[in-house]
Amino acid sequence: MDASTILFYTIAAYILVTGVLAVTTRKIFRSAIWLLFSLIGIAALYFWMDLPFIAAVQIVVYVGGIVVLIIFSIFLTQKSGDQMPKPILGRTLPSALASFFGFVFTINLIWHHGFIENKGILFDPTVDSIGMQLLNTGEGGYILPFEVVSMLLLAAMVGCIVIAMKVKKEETI
Amino acid sequence: MGSGSLITLMLAAIAFSAGGIAVAKFLTKGSTNPQKGQAYECGIPSEGTPWKQFHVGYYLFALIFLIFDVELVFMYPWAVVAKKVGMMALFEIIVFIFILFMGFLYAHKKGALKWM
Amino acid sequence: MISFLKTYFTEVFQAIKSLLSGMKLTGYYFTHPKNIITEEYPDNRATLKMADRFRGEVIMTHDEKNEHACTGCSACELACPNGTIKIINKFEINAEGKKKKAIDAFVYHLELCTMCNLCIVACPTDAIKMSPNFEHSVYDRRLLTKQLNHEGSKIREGVE
Amino acid sequence: MISVGLTHILILSTCLFFIGMYGFFTRRNLITLLMSVELMLNSVNINFAAFNKYLFPEKLDGIFFNVFIITIAAAEAAVAIAIIINLYRSHNSIDVEDAGEMKY
Amino acid sequence: MFSFQNMTQEIHSWLSSLMSETFVMLVEMTIVGILAIALFAFLGLVLVYMERKVAAVIQLRKGPNRVGPFGIFQTSADTLKLVLKEGFMPDNVDKFLYKLAPFVVMITAMLILAPIPFAKGVQIWDINIGVFYLTAISSISVIGILMAGWASNNKYSLLGAMRSGAQIVSYELSAGMAVLSIVVLTGSLNLGDIIASQEDGWWIFKGHIPAWIAFIIYIIAVTAETNRAPFDMAEAESELTGGFHTEYAGMRFALFFLAEYINIFIVCAIGAILFFGGWMPFHIGSWTAFNHVMDFIPSFMWFFGKTFFLIFLIMWFRWTFPRLRVDQLLNLEWKYLLPISIFNLLLMTLVAIKGWHF
Amino acid sequence: MFEEIKTSNDGELVINVGPQHPATHGVLHLLITLNGETITKLEPNLGYIHRSIEKMCESLSYRQFIYSTSRMDYLSSHMNNHACAMIVEKGLQVEIPERAEVIRVLISELTRLASHQLWWGAMAMDLGALSPFFYSFREREVITDIMEETCGARLTMNYIVPGGLMADIHPNFVKRVKDFIIQFNSKIDEYDQLVTGNIIFQNRMKNVGYLSPEDAISYGTTGPVARGSGVSCDIRKLYPYSAYNKVKFEEILETGGDSFARYLVRIKEMKQSISIIEQLIDNIPEGDFQAKTKAVLKLPKGEFYQRVETARGELGVYLVSEGGTTPYRIKFRSPGFSNLSALNHMVKGHKIGDLVAIMGTLDLVIPDIDR
Amino acid sequence: MGNEELIVKLQELFPAASIIQGNDWPEISFESGADFLSTIDVLKSDQTLAFDYLFCETCVDWKTHFTMVYHLDSTRFRHNIVLKYKLDRETPEIDSLSFVYRTSEQHEREIFDLFGIIFKGHPNLKRILLTEDWVGYPLRKDYDDPINMIKL
Amino acid sequence: MDVIITEPSTPFPGSVHEVPGGGIVLSTLDDVINWARSNSLWPLVFGTSCCAIEMMSAASAKYDFSRFGFEVARATPRQADVIIIAGTIVNKMAPVLKRLFDQMPDPKYVIAMGACATSGGPFFYNTYSVVKGADHVIPVDVYVAGCPPRPEALLHALITLQEKIKSGLTRDQIRAQFQEDGK
Ligand code: SF4
Ligand code: SF4
Ligand code: SF4
């Protein structure tokens, strides 16, 4: 077992443990923090997979953005100190079972699929190549999605503003 | 040294902080009194807890920030190759930014960037 | 649009200018350390000169024969707004066999004194005065209660 | 001991996915639901990256999908939170059970 | 020229000759860790001392001068005292998060150190996406602050944390834009490449006006990001008493304090790298003779010189300006800095593509 | 759980500001209700430094009670003493020598300058700029040195006795004051450079804490606070006392009504004070510094009222005498007490940061409010 | 208006009150029971009087009765009067002026705190300077507090 | 008066503070600890009345207590080491002071500045609301007399406090010592 393997298992365990905590903690703020750690763990996994760019994107967007936003919305809508109600057994049990069976099923599929790993070619996702392909107008270029993303973001932004400002107006009237 | 260095630094930070706190724990003895553990609020007993619902006047900024943050993410790969690609890159980014800037202007107009 | 941009940029430049002018001042002081006016107190004790009217504490002047001018008339005690002075008198039999009032102890509560000078003004014989000593830090507040007349001191001849 | 390969990563992501799913089913609070969804999206993301790395190392499409998914996740989170806050303002609650009876 | 590269290589080969691969790695890791801690502590002491002295001179005072010669042991005494202060925790806090928050802040501060080249060849990790990595990691620290603020169960802390949350995320944008404009010029995210590209002059001189604007925006944005006055909303002594660390005492507070200064150092180091060429000596185009003379000053001196100059700049701000109000702060970002930085970026792109820079 | 959310989701946070808080300049306790960062309600809670001076004065003689009043508004201690001395003189109907009057006014104006300088530094410090505090103290220390030389103390001078002054001015006084005027005139520009013109500062100050003239009168505000709203209320001008009718000066009025107007009033007042000092310093009349008074003072039966303009506004002393050696009842109408009552009105809808700015420009001295 | 004119004018308006020339300003006194609010209303709204500025409000304990003392100023004409109102010592009650002169809200709280006078219609009449659980009204002449007060 | 300062009865405490062991060899751990504590006294922002102005003067450029490392005034008791009680303490304030003191982590020190804080000062007699000395509320380490004490007097008090911390004695030990000496 070399260092890299140990590292992988550590990261995996870390992701899973924090993930489980994130969905089971009853304090909502803590839940957000656990989610955050889980997401950082995933970023670490990307580092481990030699995808630093994706890892950084993960951290920038998730940690710097989404989690902060989630925390803000927790403050806006919750009493953050309260414990959330304990989910009733009639609810946890079926969900746990469903998740478990889904898990077993999928694992089964993965186990039996037998992926052929392509080990010959060096995987080299430098930012440079990503950028080149991003701006490429030709075959396999992502210039169109790139521009479409801006439309998407525009739409999201306008949507947010419209939704978030709506009630505000009504309140003031 | 790659990711090893990250682990090293992380461990170093933990060792440093934990070490300091441990030293503090072993070398000092504190006194206890009933008021010590209470929240500090200018010397007056605190009323209620802050852990309640709280109006964050600036959450809209955070919403808009998130959008721009994603935009920024896309601009890193662009920036790296912009010089190589040449004018084309400039046009593409102008389109990209322009579209987003519309949203920005919209936000301004709607007063979303004012304090709520 | 143009006018908007114009005001926008003039605003920005005005702002930066005003900020720079402040930085110029602090920068000036940073580069001219000769403006430093700190007097290093415990080191300058030898040269520290208090203003001659400065009121630091009440003292009773004694001459070299260990004599003071206090008759024990209690005028200062009465004048003091906050009961700082307590005069404890005793009666001495002097040479002619007459009983004479004299102070036993001039108790001065430094911790209460507000240095208001009223007692000094009230004293008919100028027995007490203000001293500019200000170093009154102690570990125990009982040390601040002083007896101003020295041990074994007598009233000066001829003071009535 | 076998070295870590694609399968391991896939198992990890599956685990994560179903953890997210479990949370999605058990939680009743919209924000925690959103958090569970983020977990699920992330597990999918891992898959994209892993497939790209192990199966098609000559291409970058997995990475692009990854980035786009993150983008969309962000947009989705932003809109979702706007909606949640809005719901909260009008209904004073962000419990899913109440969300059922909400009418506009 | 004085270089560390040979030294590290020599150490590496010497170690390799002694023991096995894994052990070499462990030993090297330990050395790096200890060095990092030492650097951390050293920077903390020096920066706090510097801050106090700068403040003193600006304010016509002498500043600490009684503990050791010129008071240089003042900060050591302070640190020692903080360590020896009762490590104490209020009752009603969220114990776990309360304890965790300083660690998060410290770890982020430490992790950012990784790709910074302190001198020629002295770099812990030569990561390819250097600049992007820095932006990413630095965005974690806001979580530490939010955590500390919330866990303290104190109203001031919470308000301070929320403020700094909004503030840090907002200013990240314009800082990012300013950084990007240099990336556009160099075409690389790697810090080594960025420094190498300034071989014949620093970007602040080569990049015309856009570089200056980018620099100004960068300095403003990072001042805000590190919660320094005039943007110290998170602490805002006169409003929120202590801000997010109101309830922290002793060593834990010291960690926040230290992390704040380390963050200042880091952002200034990044600024120095991007705009002033990091450890690159002052070179002017093709004046080879002049450049050679400049090379005699060791590279780490250049690096620290520039960084400390920027730190001084930020301190200068602090001791000059009043604090902004929360809404004005956000207004500044969204109304002025962000639009300007976006257009500046476009301008810079034009300059870069047309090759108008030197 | 669900019900719980519904019942208490007002989203409001009640925060104590003070009594120990850097921005309250003492021990004022404000209970503020916040909605997010916006203040919806403010309730001052006084009395953390209520030293019962009024009760105490009832048992002090007319010579003694003056000294306890310098501890009220300690930044204008001389003016407080002045008011008390004047009320005793009014009761005794003694004419005090010209020289004493002029010196009293001179010291008053110096005190006002010192007070405004301290305010300037402290206000800048509230807003987060720390250096102005040190610059203002540089000039203030010069004044305190002058005070120390002549009056014998730096802050609570106790220089006035009923009937005149405790001692004549120090021989160096005139020269040092002249030096100070030169120094101050050269430094006042720095104030503008560093603070007044600063864009951040202006943004923090302008349109913050508006007080309309009607409200200013109704709330009984005086001093720079009222004058910032355009209400003329300078006692020195309206009901001149001491030597104030001999000097020319302007009453500074600003119409803005916001914090910035109040700021400007004080800055300009400093220049007026300098001009008063300039007019008087060369014309100190010769003569006695004290009128003859009895050792034990007794005021006739009756009621007396005396108003003076301290650095914070109008100080009124209301004294009821029953003919004895001590006042029967004494009431100090302190400027800060009324000024404070306008605070709630001014801060509503503003942010916490504004609260600090507004309190800074109200220039509260808490012992003056609580007495 | 000068003091003499004021006295004449006031005598016209309030024949029931006793008006004398005090040390500085005219003093107008009312016995307890007079309609206080309407008096103030007249004083404030009369065009030639216009007493719009209450600069001092206090109370004196005369051992047999209390006297409320109001000092009024007119920012328009700059004339002042002193208004006195006698109160019963057993049940000291008076109308609150807090809606006429807003400054009196705090002043009245202080007087309530130190003298124990009840102001009818005051929006927030509670102790302001002393703690809520304080016993007694310290500025009354018969107040005694052997624990806190050390007599000289 | 020609006398510049009347000679104080006790020898003047401390001038420039050497690093223990001459900066080279550290003597004992306790010395080091006391050295650190005595040279880094962060005051709590606590001024109630007139004396606070003199405390501010002590911070100002002319007197500058930052030379001793005292300038890091903390607004929260959690990070402060010393309370300088600058001003009168009244009955309503006493619980607040007690609370603030209680909330400070150990070790903590108190300086009573001015007549009011030491004994009630001008408000000792005939007042109903003043605490007659802050030591009725919290234990005080160093008393400074004066009304207000000049900034130098405060500096002197701080040096005295440093001296005390260096000696490593507790409040009670010092009291006992004085009692033995018979004043
Ligand atoms: S100076 Fe004043 S307080 Fe002190 S003893 Fe003399 S009269 Fe009393
Ligand atoms: S000091 Fe003076 S006033 Fe006091 S008792 Fe002695 S002689 Fe009388
Ligand atoms: S000792 Fe004197 S100066 Fe200090 S607070 Fe008390 S009265 Fe004020």
Side-chain angles (χ1 to χ4, degrees), chain F residues 220-235:
Chain F
T221 57
T222 45
V225 179
R227 291 201 281 280
S229 297
V231 179
S232 152
C233 61
D234 194 337
I235 307 294

Side-chain angles (χ1 to χ4, degrees), chain A residues 23 25 31 58 84 118 167, chain D residues 6 27 35 42 54 86 94:
Chain A
V23 296
T25 321
S31 171
Q58 169 93 2
M84 288 190 288
N118 197 337
V167 175
Chain D
L6 178 60
R27 296 278 172 141
M35 278 152 49
N42 264 287
Y54 289 99
N86 201 2
I94 50 168

Side-chain angles (χ1 to χ4, degrees), chain H residues 62-122:
Chain H
K62 191 165 166 195
Y63 302 103
D64 187 22
F65 61 22
S66 77
R67 289 176 289 125
F68 304 86
F70 300 145
E71 89 271 41
V72 198
R74 306 306 307 179
T76 144
R78 309 286 190 201
Q79 294 145 19
D81 305 299
V82 52
I83 296 189
I84 301 176
I85 307 172
T88 323
I89 302 299
V90 303
N91 284 345
K92 195 171 179 182
M93 190 68 189
V96 178
L97 176 63
K98 174 99 177 86
R99 195 181 164 83
L100 288 172
F101 179 73
D102 281 350
Q103 289 191 337
M104 277 163 66
D106 292 84
K108 47 195 170 186
Y109 310 98
V110 179
I111 294 178
M113 179 187 184
C116 289
T118 31
S119 68

Side-chain angles (χ1 to χ4, degrees), chain C residues 39 48 137-138 141-142, chain H residues 4 62 118 135 143 156 179:
Chain C
E39 292 168 2
L48 186 65
S137 319
V138 289
R141 103 176 184 197
R142 278 166 298 184
Chain H
I4 292 170
K62 191 165 166 195
T118 31
D135 47 6
Y143 300 86
H156 183 261
Q179 246 146 25

Side-chain angles (χ1 to χ4, degrees), chain F residues 206-234:
Chain F
K206 280 185 176 158
N207 299 323
V208 163
Y210 177 72
L211 188 69
S212 70
E214 293 76 35
D215 284 334
I217 294 171
S218 178
Y219 278 111
T221 57
T222 45
V225 179
R227 291 201 281 280
S229 297
V231 179
S232 152
C233 61
D234 194 337

Side-chain angles (χ1 to χ4, degrees), chain F residues 51 71 156, chain H residues 49-51 86-88 113-116 122-123 146-149:
Chain F
R51 301 187 281 197
R71 273 81 188 171
T156 49
Chain H
S49 52
C50 351
C51 282
T88 323
M113 179 187 184
C116 289
F123 310 103
C147 181

Side-chain angles (χ1 to χ4, degrees), chain C residues 60 69-77 85 87 103 106 119 122-128:
Chain C
M60 183 176 281
C70 176
T71 59
C73 68
S74 294
C76 49
E77 186 177 351
I85 299 173
I87 307 249
I103 51 166
F106 186 111
C119 50
C123 179
T125 57
D126 287 342
I128 44 176

Side-chain angles (χ1 to χ4, degrees), chain A residues 153-169, chain B residues 59-61 63-65 67-68 100-114 116, chain D residues 78-79 81-83 86 89, chain E residues 334:
Chain A
L153 294 176
L154 173 68
M157 185 144 83
V158 172
C160 285
I161 292 166
V162 168
I163 294 168
M165 308 275 291
K166 199 174 87 191
V167 175
K168 185 82 191 163
K169 288 256 171 56
Chain B
Y59 78 97
L60 257 182
F61 290 96
L63 281 176
I64 297 168
F65 157 76
I67 308 291
F68 274 93
L100 264 171
F101 211 74
M102 298 299 286
F104 184 70
L105 288 181
Y106 176 80
H108 247 301
K109 194 142 167 255
K110 275 276 175 178
L113 295 179
K114 280 211 196 82
M116 307 249 292
Chain D
V79 175
I81 282 174
I83 291 174
N86 201 2
R89 285 234 191 93
Chain E
W334 291 97

